[in-house]
Each structure stands twice: as C-alpha cells, then as structure tokens.
C-alpha cells in the first residue's frame, strides 16, 4: 500500500523537494487528512444532543478512512518513512500502550518504594556506547574513563559530541544495551520482597526514539517494575511525588554523581554502583556496592 501511494505521490509532487517545500506539503496533507476525518464523522450520529438521527453509513466510514490513511501514507512517503519503519513504530507504540495500561491498573498502596535508575544500573550504557563509537567512528575509548560521555575521545573527531549522541539514538542504540549482570533477576527479587519499584531515568522523554525504545528494551528484557518516569531533575521529581511526603522512599539506586549527591543531600539514602566516574563522591546517605549480590546483602542487612 505504501508503494501504491508513493507511485501516486510521484504524479502529484515533483521530487526531490527542498526542506521548505516538504514542510509546506506536509502541512497541506495534514489539513487534507483533517478534512477527511471531518467527513468521516458525518457518517455517524455524533451529535447526541440532537433529536434527529443520521442513518449510519458503513461504506462512507470505510472510504473516508481510506482517504485519511492515504494522506498519512503520503506524509510518510514524503519523509522517507518506510513500511518497515512504520511497522516497527506501530509495534513499539502498541507495546507502550499495553504496558502503561497494565502498570496504571496497579495502584500504589503504601509499599516501601525504591527509585531505580536505568543507564549503568540496569543496562550497560557506557560499554554499549563505547563499542558503537569504535564501530562507527573508529575511535577507541576507555570505559573506565572518569568522563561519563567520553568527551576527550570525542574531541579527536571532527563531529559535534551532541551530533554523535543523536546518531547513536537514531541508530536505536538504546535498544542494543546489554543488561547489567543479574539486573533482571535483581528487580524480580526486590518485587518478591514487597518493594514498589519506580524506574526513574534522566533520558529525555521528548525524544520519541529514546522514549519508545526505553519501554521496548525494558519489556523485551523482562525487567520487573511498577512505574517508569523520565526526569533530568530526579530529586525534584521525588519531592513532588506521592511517595515523598509519606516517607515511603526506602532508597534510590543511581550511578550518577549529580543525582546521587542530590538524593543524599536531601535525606534520601542512595545505593551507588562503584564506577570510575563516581568513586570520588561521599556523604552520609551514600553507600557503594560492587554488584547486585553485594547490594542484596546490604539491603537484607538493613531490614
């Protein structure tokens, strides 16, 4: 169907188009789709406050729906979105809708809460990013570097570090992360101990690739969790949560020096996986761990 629509597009639009032309054509196609949706609503009696009824027209619903879908396909063709791209996005969206529906059906009932980070706590972000950099930019980076994003190594290539990270995201890097050893088992163990697990990541939710890849990666890997949120200011998020005023946050798990120190400064105990880039931090509420067996021992000892 995408190919059929693309063939028709070629009769109406002279390719290639400039970026400005593409934007204008997208606006026009979106307005046309909106018009077809309005026509579709005319096939049913949506004005329930009116006494007169409209005879339902299934054929009209069918063919107006075809028009709406064709306009959407035209937009995707214009942006070089393939049928495979759309199928992948549809499956990810379906996964997101189902997992959020299931999570929202569970209500927090006052259980002790553990706030859990994702990158370099549950997933091996630095190792994966380092391997991707070597494969795509031919630069070797030391995963034991004290720099989290390997800025010194990235400065050796003539590409903006932010652009490099954008390319990693576009290459669906966050779907490729290996899980930290025993991380999946660890989340299930905490659930069996009666904890409520709220995953809290500083990944930018406004980036759709990151947002949907995060849900897909977590569910495909089989992690156990009760909620997932995105925030670059994690303590502030916690302070505004329903858990905070009730004193339900047992502790947080986070590798970031920034977030660990902010948690600790404001009275939230934090368990920190010992890394080259965070071993310098210290504080009354900070406790390092070597692996998940070590962390579970520490958690059980405190109970």
């Amino acid at each position: 169907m995408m190919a059929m629509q693309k063939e028709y597009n070629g009769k109406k639009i002279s390719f290639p188009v400039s970026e400005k032309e593409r934007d204008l054509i997208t606006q026009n196609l979106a307005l046309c789709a909106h018009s077809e949706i309005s026509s579709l609503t005319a096939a049913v009696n949506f004005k329930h406050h009116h006494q007169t009824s409209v005879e339902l027209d299934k054929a009209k619903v069918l063919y107006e729906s075809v028009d709406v879908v064709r306009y959407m396909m035209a937009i995707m063709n214009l942006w070089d979105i393939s049928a495979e791209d759309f199928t992948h996005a549809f499956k990810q969206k379906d996964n997101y809708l189902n997992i959020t529906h299931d999570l929202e059906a569970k209500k927090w009932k006052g259980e002790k809460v553990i706030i859990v980070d994702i990158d370099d706590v549950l997933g091996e972000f630095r190792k994966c990013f380092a391997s991707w950099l070597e494969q795509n930019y031919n630069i070797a980076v030391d995963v034991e570097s004290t720099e989290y994003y390997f800025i010194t190594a990235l400065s050796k290539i003539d590409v903006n570090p932010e652009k490099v990270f954008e390319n990693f995201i576009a290459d669906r890097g966050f779907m490729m992360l290996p899980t930290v050893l025993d991380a999946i088992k660890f989340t299930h163990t905490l659930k069996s101990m009666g904890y409520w697990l709220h995953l809290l990541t500083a990944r930018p939710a406004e980036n759709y690739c990151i947002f949907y890849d995060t849900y897909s990666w977590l569910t495909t890997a089989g992690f156990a969790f009760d909620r997932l949120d995105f925030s670059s200011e994690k303590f502030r998020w916690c302070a505004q949560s329903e858990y905070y005023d009730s004193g339900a946050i047992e502790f947080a798990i986070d590798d970031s020096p920034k977030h660990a120190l902010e948690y600790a400064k404001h009275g939230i105990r934090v368990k920190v996986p010992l890394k080259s880039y965070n071993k310098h931090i210290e504080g009354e509420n900070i406790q390092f761990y070597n692996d998940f067996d070590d962390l579970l021992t520490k958690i059980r000892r405190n109970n």
Side-chain angles (χ1 to χ4, degrees):
M1 288 190 290
M2 290 281 284
M4 291 166 63
Q5 182 61 42
K6 190 168 188 176
E7 182 180 355
Y8 178 73
N9 289 157
K11 297 177 180 179
K12 307 291 288 186
I13 302 171
S14 298
F15 289 96
V17 296
S18 68
E19 186 172 326
K20 182 178 180 180
E21 288 172 327
R22 185 179 62 180
D23 288 346
L24 291 173
I25 296 170
T26 300
Q27 292 176 39
N28 180 259
L29 291 170
L31 287 171
C32 289
H34 181 272
S35 176
E36 294 299 339
I37 291 174
S38 297
S39 296
L40 193 155
T41 60
V44 298
N45 183 25
F46 68 95
K47 296 181 179 179
H48 297 291
H49 58 284
H50 284 194
Q51 295 299 318
T52 57
S53 62
V54 175
E55 184 177 352
L56 300 182
D57 190 340
K58 182 177 179 179
K60 188 169 186 176
V61 170
L62 172 62
Y63 285 99
E64 294 294 355
S65 296
V66 169
D67 285 339
V68 172
V69 172
R70 287 190 67 121
Y71 278 121
M72 293 299 99
M73 287 181 174
I75 290 174
M76 287 189 285
N77 283 328
L78 187 64
W79 287 81
D80 292 323
I81 296 172
S82 69
E84 292 74 21
D85 293 335
F86 181 79
T87 299
H88 177 74
F90 188 94
K91 289 179 178 178
Q92 282 202 313
K93 189 77 174 186
D94 185 68
N95 174 72
Y96 163 75
L97 292 171
N98 279 287
I99 192 64
T100 52
H101 176 272
D102 294 342
L103 292 178
E104 289 169 1
K106 298 190 296 181
K107 303 300 180 184
W108 179 60
K109 299 178 181 178
E111 300 98 324
K112 288 294 184 181
V113 178
I114 300 177
I115 305 294
V116 186
D117 182 31
I118 295 178
D119 293 317
D120 291 306
V121 171
L122 301 181
E124 297 279 15
F125 167 74
R126 276 167 60 87
K127 289 181 181 178
C128 183
F129 188 45
S131 176
W132 181 87
L133 284 172
E134 185 170 4
Q135 181 179 351
N136 289 273
Y137 289 92
N138 197 31
I139 57 172
V141 295
D142 180 10
V143 293
E144 295 304 320
S145 166
T146 58
E147 299 174 340
Y148 189 76
Y149 287 110
F150 314 123
I151 298 301
T152 299
L154 288 173
S155 67
K156 297 176 182 178
I157 59 175
D158 189 25
V159 182
N160 184 283
E162 284 297 320
K163 181 61 178 177
V164 172
F165 189 55
E166 288 175 9
N167 291 339
F168 174 76
I169 295 168
D171 208 19
R172 313 319 285 251
F174 283 105
M175 280 294 293
M176 299 185 294
L177 303 191
T179 58
V180 173
L181 180 65
D182 293 330
I184 300 168
K185 179 183 176 182
F186 174 72
T187 61
H188 286 273
T189 299
L190 290 184
K191 286 300 300 172
S192 71
M193 294 168 67
Y195 289 109
W196 178 272
L197 299 189
H198 200 128
L199 306 187
L200 184 61
T201 175
R203 295 177 179 182
E206 63 273 13
N207 184 298
Y208 279 15
C209 285
I210 288 179
F211 185 80
Y212 291 109
D213 282 358
T214 299
Y215 275 93
S216 294
W217 181 80
L218 288 168
T219 52
T220 300
F223 286 99
F225 60 100
D226 298 292
R227 289 287 187 275
L228 168 63
D229 274 289
F230 298 73
S231 177
S232 59
E233 296 297 333
K234 293 185 178 180
F235 171 73
R236 185 183 302 170
W237 182 95
C238 287
Q240 295 172 346
S241 72
E242 60 182 331
Y243 315 131
Y244 191 72
D245 290 339
S246 61
I249 299 177
E250 186 79 351
F251 56 84
I253 306 174
D254 208 297
D255 68 303
S256 162
K258 164 185 159 56
H259 298 305
L261 288 169
E262 286 181 352
Y263 280 136
K265 177 182 177 181
H266 293 92
I268 295 178
R269 293 185 299 154
V270 56
K271 313 294 185 182
V272 181
L274 185 60
K275 306 285 186 180
S276 57
Y277 53 85
N278 65 23
K279 61 184 180 181
H280 64 283
I281 66 173
E282 58 183 19
E284 181 180 354
N285 290 313
I286 293 175
Q287 184 181 47
F288 287 100
Y289 68 89
N290 295 308
D291 53 37
F292 283 119
D293 283 340
D294 181 33
L295 180 54
L296 277 172
T297 299
K298 287 178 165 62
I299 293 171
R300 290 181 171 127
R301 188 179 298 151
N302 289 335
N303 288 345

